[in-house]
Amino acid sequence: MTAQVDALVRLAHGQFRDRQFELAATTLSGVLMMSPQHVGARLLQAAIDLRLDRYRNAHAHVLAVAAHPPTDAATEYELFQRLRTFNEHALMAESARRLLGLKPLDVGQQMQLASSLSGIGAAELAEQVLKRMQAKEPRHVATLLTDGYLATNQGDFPRAKQALEAAIARESRLAMAHWLLARLRTQNEASNHVARLRRVLADRSLTAPDRAQIGFALHKELHDLGEVAAAWEALVTACAQKREITPYDEAATMALFDAIEAAPRWPSASVPADAAATPIFIVGMHRSGTTLLERMLGRHPQVVDCGETYRFTAQLREAADHQCKGVVDARIIQSADRFDAAAIARGYAAASRWRLREDSTHYTEKLPSNFLLIGLIKRALPQARILHMRRDPMDTCLSNLRELFSDACAYSYDQGELGRYYRRYERLMAHWHRCFPGEILDVRYEDLVANPEAEARRVLDYCGLPWRDDVVDVTGHGGAVTTASAVQVRSPIHRRSVGGWRTYEAQMAPLRAILGA
């Protein structure tokens, strides 16, 4: 029986590689009849179901494996990656704990494991993975890069600098290390990396993604030095390189906005009896100050700051039986009238519970692009508080242009695309305010940094939280930050970035014309 099962699994893998997905699924159905708990078959079937856009089936297979986890590191790591696909963060943490008790993975897999754990808020587990890497291969580039990345997230900048410089000493073209190092502090004439970055960029064999990443690092350092013309030239070049490798369908994006705005206002579900904690969604454009607002809320003893997750989107994918890219797509909007809002609420509460403390009454969800989902959030979670972070349009857009995102915000590498996206975002937010009058609190970044106590009182009152003097001391918050603001939010609240776009006023004339500023 075992030999027959193994042969069928190998056959299904071959069929999967040949993109014969339905045939591979048929082969695996025979395997699962003979061996219902066969881990390899279930994980492969999950991969097939995702290719065939059968989200629920894929999710069910992964959960079945998690209930009877494997005993070898390679398969456990594959399970961890599948759990990541479904935003099963609590189960990811359990999987990582099991991995720490098994034979170590290779150093590249451990780096990915630590990065993923940091991203979901499991900072202590990420550090345990790093310690294992350091015990076995302390000078490996991946170990040093992981150390630098985690130290940056945790605000330990001297440790981060030491690790990143050591990584670059071993691999001079290590783009991620150069990029992280440029962001650790404001560079100055006496101490910067401009010459080194230019030498690396002169290497014609550099890959396109690495060239873009190092280009953004060069722009940042030139900007710090006040070399405006050179900094802008570096930014334009880096944005063009990033655009070449980052597809963006502007027509589809605008059509999605239209579909969201045209959708009916769905009735709200009743608040679940077990909804012990109130979610606070912090939304808006990226780079509008959302991380600063979350850091302030996270100082409150009743609030857990959960960072940027796709946990709500994961419930929408389950409801629609569809894997979307980003927080939402047209198919989810088209399916929304059939959603069980109460089931979405229960699923979201269960997925968030692992991060809460016994005394938590509120928790944050700080994924800015959730502004697209306000209608669905209000339908499933009528008790949710929604904070909309607003910032001067030109400052917001410049900050987007200057930021290297991973695979998000594809609209942010061209002034025209960015300006038109911003205007459509503003229109949608006006729509949500009409739909939910008084239920969305706008928070202006400029007001927050000019008078943090007054704005914090207004925010806490809206959220139903008592006042705490220490919420305005964001430097006292020791938690990890994995967003683009990981360095900036470690400083006391300041107004230095207000009006920063005027540094590039002439260069940003096309964007200003679109915004009508």
Side-chain angles (χ1 to χ4, degrees), residues 168-322:
I168 291 170
R170 298 182 70 83
E171 173 48 71
S172 63
R173 304 190 311 169
L174 195 60
M176 175 63 81
H178 286 293
W179 182 67
L180 288 171
L181 198 59
R183 297 157 64 86
L184 281 182
R185 63 176 176 83
T186 301
Q187 311 298 316
N188 56 57
E189 290 290 347
S191 176
N192 62 78
H193 315 97
V194 169
R196 182 170 68 182
L197 291 168
R198 282 175 167 157
R199 283 197 303 272
V200 176
L201 283 171
D203 186 341
R204 294 181 178 274
S205 66
L206 207 62
T207 66
D210 286 354
R211 187 171 295 281
Q213 191 164 36
I214 295 174
F216 273 93
L218 176 62
H219 158 72
K220 195 272 182 187
E221 298 217 1
L222 290 168
H223 174 85
D224 288 350
L225 297 176
E227 297 184 22
V228 174
W232 184 260
E233 181 182 358
L235 178 60
V236 169
T237 300
C239 282
Q241 290 164 342
K242 180 64 174 175
R243 160 57 67 246
E244 287 181 7
I245 58 176
T246 308
Y248 175 56
D249 188 336
E250 184 173 12
T253 299
M254 296 303 159
L256 175 61
F257 272 99
D258 292 342
I260 293 169
E261 197 169 309
R265 181 175 172 181
W266 303 288
S268 297
S270 57
V271 178
D274 62 346
T278 300
I280 302 172
F281 285 80
I282 304 175
V283 305
M285 285 287 290
H286 283 271
R287 312 298 297 149
S288 61
T290 55
T291 300
L292 173 60
L293 182 56
E294 184 182 49
R295 293 285 286 181
M296 295 174 73
L297 283 165
R299 290 284 285 147
H300 199 288
Q302 292 174 225
V303 181
V304 176
D305 49 338
C306 293
E308 296 183 0
T309 84
Y310 280 77
R311 284 196 282 263
F312 189 77
T313 288
Q315 301 309 313
L316 301 182
R317 291 169 178 166
E318 186 79 13
D321 194 18
H322 168 62

